Amino acid sequence: MEILSRMRRTAAVLGLCAALVAVPAAAAAEPAAPKTPRTPGIPVVTTEQVMPHLRALQSIADRTGGNRAHGTKGFQQSLAYVKGVLDKAGFRTGLRPFTHNGVVGHNLIADWPGGDPDHVVLVGAHLDSVEAGPGMNDNGSGSAAVLATAVAMSRAGVAPKRHLRFAWWGAEEQGLIGSKDYVRKLSAAGREKIDVYLNFDMTGSRNVQQWLVVHDDPRATDAFEAYFAAKGLPTFDIGIGGSDHESFGDAGIPVSGFNTGVGDCLHDACDRIDNVDPETETLSTNAILGVTWQLATR
Ligand code: ZN
């Protein structure tokens, strides 16, 4: 356990992602053909409500030198894009600065007005890429999925019982820097108020075998398992580690979330938009939306 934990920590410092250090022991059977999930009362997003966000991030990388890493124009413009969409959708947004390697980075926090402020459901993804490429599956996909979820919540006029907060982290690839900074700056009372943190890091992998679900917070974990089971999609349990949920888990905050596994283009120049499967990305977004809706409104 100690060795595994250290491996995960090392992997995180190197900027590796969860699935790399939690690879399923055996490949599962091919998943059933994905269907658009429909649950009464819960909104559903289409591919064309998710993929435009990824296209925007790809185009930012294309015009700023090929990546969206900490300290680059590509990251700054990614931040401005996501913030602009959220501001238009009625969220209260704020940038939380931190300094890493002598360069100022930012987390972006977006609060949906209302809900019990003592019971927060926090949903996040890292927005930075490595320097080697544009980071479309890692983690434009998670960033776009969380953004499309937030927009869908706004369109549906959600009135959650718990307070709903979304976050996009900076400098994850440098060692979970942004999320650690956010958690470190919370008071003890502030930590207590976060009922659960849900993390999404790589949600549109090509040739997805299984949805790798982070098993920690029982209610969230069960909700994801039930969601995928109802669609006939295979899941595999993974522990905490390798992405931003580790910063929360280390502070005793319950976590969950999922990823869709690692492809050949991880941390490479070929992690472009064509490295993201639109159908998988849409399915993942609807899983995030469905489970977040359940957790926030019930
Ligand atoms: Zn990642």
Side-chain angles (χ1 to χ4, degrees):
M1 190 65 199
E2 179 60 26
I3 290 167
L4 186 59
S5 157
R6 205 175 303 136
M7 278 172 61
R8 284 181 173 150
R9 216 163 288 278
T10 306
V13 167
L14 294 173
L16 302 178
C17 286
L20 257 190
V21 289
V23 176
E30 280 291 305
K35 295 182 185 98
T36 304
R38 295 212 175 271
T39 309
I42 301 178
V44 172
V45 300
T46 65
T47 300
E48 275 312 301
Q49 289 170 317
V50 187
M51 292 306 286
H53 300 312
L54 264 170
R55 288 198 285 271
L57 295 176
Q58 177 69 64
S59 119
I60 285 168
D62 287 345
R63 63 174 185 257
T64 58
N67 72 76
R68 302 179 303 102
H70 171 66
T72 65
K73 269 188 191 164
F75 181 75
Q76 281 305 320
Q77 290 188 18
S78 298
L79 205 58
Y81 171 77
V82 174
K83 185 175 183 300
V85 172
L86 292 162
D87 286 339
K88 223 171 138 184
F91 285 84
R92 292 181 186 144
T93 60
L95 296 177
R96 307 283 177 87
F98 59 87
T99 303
H100 178 63
N101 282 350
V103 181
V104 175
H106 291 94
N107 296 319
L108 168 59
I109 306 296
D111 286 284
W112 183 245
D116 181 349
D118 289 335
H119 293 278
V120 177
V121 174
L122 176 58
V123 183
H126 77 84
L127 186 57
D128 64 311
S129 74
V130 292
E131 287 180 9
M136 284 298 104
N137 193 39
D138 183 16
N139 187 31
S141 63
S143 295
V146 173
L147 182 57
T149 294
V151 170
M153 292 278 191
S154 159
R155 279 206 188 115
V158 66
K161 283 191 176 139
R162 300 201 245 181
H163 182 71
L164 197 47
R165 177 176 300 152
F166 295 89
W168 287 261
W169 311 114
E172 186 267 1
E173 298 288 11
Q174 322 271 320
L176 317 179
I177 305 300
S179 55
K180 269 186 207 160
D181 184 78
Y182 178 81
V183 172
R184 189 172 54 79
K185 288 173 180 168
L186 289 173
S187 63
R191 289 179 193 185
E192 287 260 313
K193 288 177 184 178
I194 302 175
D195 284 357
V196 65
Y197 170 64
L198 307 177
N199 191 64
F200 302 97
D201 187 353
M202 299 191 292
T203 55
S205 308
R206 293 214 165 270
N207 307 311
V208 59
Q209 300 288 323
Q210 294 155 311
W211 272 258
L212 307 175
V213 176
V214 176
H215 271 232
D216 185 45
D217 179 72
R219 197 174 161 213
T221 304
D222 289 353
F224 281 119
E225 294 288 3
Y227 185 95
F228 290 119
K231 313 296 169 213
L233 297 169
T235 56
F236 189 89
D237 305 356
I238 59 171
I240 300 172
S243 187
D244 292 305
H245 57 292
E246 187 174 324
S247 303
F248 291 83
D250 283 353
I253 296 167
V255 301
S256 188
F258 64 82
N259 73 73
T260 53
V262 173
D264 294 341
C265 286
L266 179 76
H267 295 174
D268 205 334
C270 62
D271 189 9
R272 298 181 55 80
I273 194 157
D274 57 7
N275 188 42
V276 174
D277 183 324
E279 201 164 36
T280 301
E281 174 70 358
T282 307
L283 238 157
S284 289
T285 304
N286 280 307
I288 298 167
L289 178 53
V291 168
T292 303
W293 185 283
Q294 284 177 48
L295 296 176
T297 60
R298 291 174 198 167

